[in-house]
Amino acid sequence: MNTKDEMLSAALKLFAADGYENVGIQRIVEAVDVKKPTLYYYFGSKQGLLIALLKRHFDPFLADLATTTVYRGDITLTLENIVRTYFRFALKSPELYRFALSLVCSSEQSEAWKTMYPFVERQYALLEEVFRNAEHDHGNMRGRSKRYAITFQGMINSYITTYFYGQIALSDESAYVACHQFMHGIFS
């Protein structure tokens, strides 16, 4: 692992353990045994480090999600595939996923929230587009795509959080059950 990767890894561990706002640059560089100018050289600032960390993990995930969210006429199957994509991401990077959830719940005025928000906004946009495209096949969904995207995202994060607490598995069966319960609500 090179120095840049080491700093990203150390930052994630520290941010996840103590929160972004509670971790200073000094702790990060000490964890990797480098000097502050090295961090500034690679990232420019603590926020630059956070941006690089989020991009490293979320850019591939968002690319996968963009592929998965292409609606091809079967809304339930599309949603199951989306849930599986989220589950894979959470299983691959649990520390990052927990940390990202904490950023989403931080103050809207904080640097951390402002840095995370574009990644969240992109997810909502992709999910909303799925529901908007499905309106053509399911008239009862018309005009509700934003609310469905919000509710669906919340359901996914609830399943993942419940997994973190050791209550459920992030399995194909969980994806199936979650989507069918969600769709029952739409179609009822």
Side-chain angles (χ1 to χ4, degrees):
M1 197 180 317
N2 64 36
T3 302
K4 183 177 180 181
D5 291 337
E6 287 179 24
M7 282 189 282
L8 288 167
S9 179
L12 175 57
K13 285 184 184 354
L14 291 167
F15 293 158
D18 296 333
Y20 176 78
E21 304 295 339
N22 297 323
V23 176
I25 290 173
Q26 187 63 41
R27 282 185 64 198
I28 298 165
V29 297
E30 284 175 359
V32 189
D33 197 27
V34 297
K35 303 291 183 207
K36 285 183 182 181
T38 304
L39 185 140
Y40 293 126
Y41 170 78
Y42 284 114
F43 306 108
S45 65
K46 180 179 161 185
Q47 184 179 26
L49 174 68
L50 179 59
I51 291 167
L53 178 64
L54 294 174
K55 285 181 71 56
R56 170 170 283 189
H57 291 275
F58 274 95
D59 283 355
F61 165 69
L62 290 170
D64 286 347
L65 190 61
T67 301
T68 306
T69 56
V70 174
Y71 176 68
R72 293 183 174 92
D74 185 336
I75 186 64
T76 305
L77 180 60
T78 301
L79 296 181
E80 282 182 47
N81 288 332
I82 290 168
V83 171
R84 286 185 190 100
T85 300
Y86 272 94
F87 284 5
R88 280 192 306 273
F89 182 47
L91 289 168
K92 179 181 176 189
S93 306
E95 193 171 47
L96 182 276
Y97 204 97
R98 282 178 188 241
F99 173 56
L101 288 173
S102 75
L103 296 179
V104 170
C105 295
S106 60
S107 167
E108 292 178 28
Q109 306 308 314
S110 72
E111 180 176 275
W113 186 89
K114 290 175 183 174
T115 305
M116 183 64 201
Y117 184 71
F119 297 96
V120 173
E121 189 174 46
R122 180 71 179 130
Q123 292 171 64
Y124 279 127
L126 289 167
L127 295 176
E128 189 174 348
E129 185 178 344
V130 169
F131 291 110
R132 197 175 317 105
N133 289 335
E135 288 177 2
H136 303 292
D137 296 330
H138 305 285
N140 63 329
M141 293 174 68
R142 215 172 305 296
R144 299 177 181 164
S145 58
K146 186 175 192 74
R147 287 187 182 158
Y148 287 151
I150 291 167
T151 304
F152 191 63
Q153 176 73 52
M155 180 202 67
I156 292 168
N157 284 334
S158 292
Y159 268 73
I160 292 170
T161 301
T162 304
Y163 162 76
F164 289 148
Y165 292 136
Q167 301 297 311
I168 64 166
L170 297 183
S171 62
D172 286 342
E173 180 185 357
S174 292
Y176 175 86
V177 169
C179 290
H180 284 267
Q181 287 175 335
F182 183 82
M183 291 309 299
H184 180 73
I186 289 176
F187 292 139
S188 63

